[in-house]
Amino acid sequence: MPEPIHQWTALQTAAHVAARRISATEIAHAMCDRVARLEPRLNAFADFAPEVPLQAARSVDARLAAGETLPLAGVAFTVKDNLWLGGRPATFGSRVFADFVAPRDSWCVARLRALGAVPLGVTNCSEFACKGITDTPLHGTTRNPWDLERTPGGSSGGAVAAVAAGLGPLALVTDAGGSTRRPAAHTGLVGMKPTLGRVPNAWGFDDPNHLLSVIGQIGRTVEDVAFLLDALTAWDPADPLSSPAFAAPDAVARLREPLGRPRLAWSPHLGCGLPVDADVLAALEAAVERLRGAGWQIERADPDWPEGAREYPMIALQQAGLAQRFGDIWRTQPERLDPDIGAQIELGATVTGTRTTELLKLREAFHASFTRFFERYDALLCPTSPVEAWPLGSLGPTEIGGLPAGPRGHAAFTPLFNYGSVPALSLPCGTGRQGLPVGLQIAGPRFADAFVLQLAWHAEQVLGAGTPSPMMDE
């Protein structure tokens, strides 16, 4: 075991613990010590109490001693603040829930505990997971381990900051428009958005993005992310979005199978004329050329989208959801909410029933667009984010690709895949001009999660694993 514990992958950790080369309790102590040392600089956690992972780790050691087989024995994972870690504060990043204590584990948390994983703590997210940075009035600003003066993105900023800094190899997050994939791209990690409904989310907070949001997986390697997705793949009738189609995991079994000759499309502007910074595009084009050089069949092709596909066309559904759930609080106690969320609530209050129906029909049109595209191609490659991580203090860069950028310009490449309910993954593929990570997005047809991960694993063999953040050496 030459590498430091915090540099181990999830699978390496589980193998060491299963072989009794180290105990889950020893790993938990090492993780707690590392959090104590790095957290004051990162602000990755909304709640961290050493007794939580230490107690869980002691239970894992006792279960192993009793003869149980635990596939994730001793593996530390974090829980995004819009999910529940039973008995601990769960705030949804908001003063509204400042005093709320989770009455039970979220389904995904309970599942990982059952498999022997150890919850490390609850990570920061933007209020109601509805912003592209991680900066809340309740918990403050989370910083990027690559550059502490830059954002890790959002809404899963605390999760990626933790994993990229070596505070656990895995993170449970959510993704309603890119909240898994974009922060992963900004921190050199692998971030997966599975097909809608693949991971049950049967209870918890009332999500303003219920019909778009999924439980996402974050790790440092494709193999870890595939293993985590398989661990969470199940059918639970309590979740209306869950399906028997997800009754059996299949990602790890397929990961290393030969690819054959899939038909792949590369769409640098996603058919919407979306701007990309020149250095980011150069890094992505270089990655695509390396894949072509390895024998991949990749054509330049764009999907044919419905009218109005550019830059978060269905954001009004999120705004209407916020207005429905939190409009009364904004009107009577505005000091309890992030003003940026208040602005979204104001917009959401103007969304009519007719407009809501139009947006739901637009979602069906996106589904049809993906269906047509994936009849021609097996998968789609495109940018995850058009920019590197930007300095703290703003919702996004003011300019992208030499053009003025709207508040959602940095996030424009990810939400379409939520609208179509298809699996998508961000894979590290190099760095930009500022030496910060860039992510290549790989998407496939609905239910083709295992194929997307297989493509990503083979791409990782060509491009190499993501470069560790500078904090991984501390």
Side-chain angles (χ1 to χ4, degrees):
M1 301 185 292
E3 303 93 352
I5 289 171
H6 72 271
Q7 294 182 3
W8 295 351
T9 68
L11 288 177
Q12 286 172 333
T13 302
H16 287 317
V17 174
R20 308 298 179 87
R21 290 188 285 268
I22 191 171
S23 69
T25 303
E26 289 175 290
I27 290 172
H29 273 294
M31 289 293 102
C32 289
D33 290 346
R34 190 165 176 81
V35 172
R37 186 158 55 84
L38 298 183
E39 171 61 6
R41 293 155 60 195
L42 283 173
N43 193 33
F45 286 87
D47 178 69
F48 172 75
E51 63 268 21
V52 173
L54 292 174
Q55 181 179 356
R58 287 191 290 267
S59 174
V60 168
D61 287 332
R63 292 167 65 190
L64 289 171
E68 283 193 57
T69 299
L70 301 175
L72 286 171
V75 176
F77 70 97
T78 58
V79 180
K80 187 176 174 179
D81 193 25
N82 62 340
L83 301 170
W84 287 357
L85 179 58
R88 300 305 305 174
T91 73
F92 218 160
S94 177
R95 290 190 179 111
V96 173
F97 296 102
D99 300 319
F100 180 74
V101 175
R104 63 192 296 192
D105 287 337
S106 285
W107 186 97
C108 53
V109 175
R111 179 78 156 199
L112 294 192
R113 282 189 192 264
L115 297 174
V118 172
L120 187 56
V122 178
T123 54
N124 283 332
C125 73
S126 57
E127 189 162 30
F128 310 133
C130 286
K131 286 172 62 175
I133 59 173
T134 303
D135 181 4
T136 73
L138 184 61
H139 298 301
T141 300
T142 298
R143 298 172 181 271
N144 192 322
W146 282 80
D147 180 343
L148 295 175
E149 297 306 313
R150 293 178 183 268
T151 181
S155 61
S156 306
V160 297
V163 175
L167 308 179
L170 299 176
L172 287 175
V173 293
T174 60
D175 188 315
S179 287
T180 297
R181 290 158 287 156
R182 289 195 314 274
H186 292 316
T187 51
L189 302 175
V190 180
M192 176 79 177
K193 183 205 86 68
T195 297
L196 181 69
R198 177 163 181 142
V199 180
N201 192 18
W203 54 81
F205 285 120
D206 190 6
D207 191 337
N209 284 301
H210 172 65
L211 291 177
L212 300 175
S213 186
V214 301
I215 303 295
Q217 301 76 43
I218 285 173
R220 292 192 287 269
T221 69
V222 174
E223 185 176 37
D224 270 4
V225 168
F227 196 82
L228 179 55
L229 181 61
D230 271 359
L232 297 169
T233 294
W235 174 44
D236 191 323
D239 182 349
L241 299 177
S242 189
S243 166
F246 302 123
D250 57 354
V252 171
R254 186 172 175 179
L255 207 60
R256 290 177 171 78
E257 289 182 358
L259 272 182
R261 297 279 292 174
R263 301 161 300 163
L264 306 177
W266 160 238
S267 180
H269 303 283
L270 208 49
C272 301
L274 299 173
V276 185
D277 279 351
D279 59 323
V280 172
L281 184 58
L284 291 162
E285 293 276 14
V288 169
E289 285 306 312
R290 288 177 66 187
L291 294 174
R292 286 190 176 118
W296 288 40
Q297 179 181 326
I298 305 174
E299 299 178 18
R300 173 71 173 79
D302 298 324
D304 178 21
W305 303 115
E307 185 72 23
R310 183 188 173 98
E311 247 188 74
Y312 260 93
M314 294 177 66
I315 189 67
L317 286 180
Q318 172 178 297
Q319 294 163 347
L322 287 168
Q324 184 268 324
R325 289 157 177 79
F326 305 110
D328 287 343
I329 293 173
W330 176 246
R331 285 188 292 272
T332 59
Q333 299 173 298
E335 70 280 359
R336 298 178 68 191
L337 294 174
D338 181 336
D340 292 322
I341 297 300
Q344 292 194 50
I345 289 172
E346 294 282 357
L347 291 170
T350 67
V351 179
T352 65
T354 300
R355 180 56 180 157
T356 300
T357 302
E358 290 173 351
L359 291 169
L360 292 175
K361 292 294 291 183
L362 180 60
R363 183 167 175 254
E364 294 178 12
F366 278 112
H367 174 81
S369 290
F370 277 113
T371 300
R372 291 192 300 270
F373 187 78
F374 288 127
E375 287 172 351
R376 298 164 49 210
Y377 296 98
D378 296 307
L380 171 63
L381 312 181
C382 70
T384 306
S385 173
V387 296
E388 296 166 87
W390 57 94
L392 299 172
S394 63
L395 291 175
T398 58
E399 185 178 282
I400 300 175
L403 300 172
R408 293 280 179 174
H410 68 93
F413 281 87
T414 51
L416 299 180
F417 302 98
N418 297 79
Y419 303 160
S421 303
V422 302
L425 176 148
S426 183
L427 182 74
C429 70
T431 57
R433 182 181 63 253
Q434 300 170 87
L436 299 170
V438 171
L440 175 68
Q441 191 166 201
I442 303 173
R446 218 161 48 118
F447 306 112
D449 305 62
F451 176 61
V452 168
L453 283 158
Q454 182 190 16
L455 277 176
W457 185 85
H458 282 274
E460 190 179 54
Q461 309 315 299
V462 177
L463 303 176
T467 303
S469 80
M471 292 189 89
M472 285 292 287
D473 291 329
E474 296 186 20

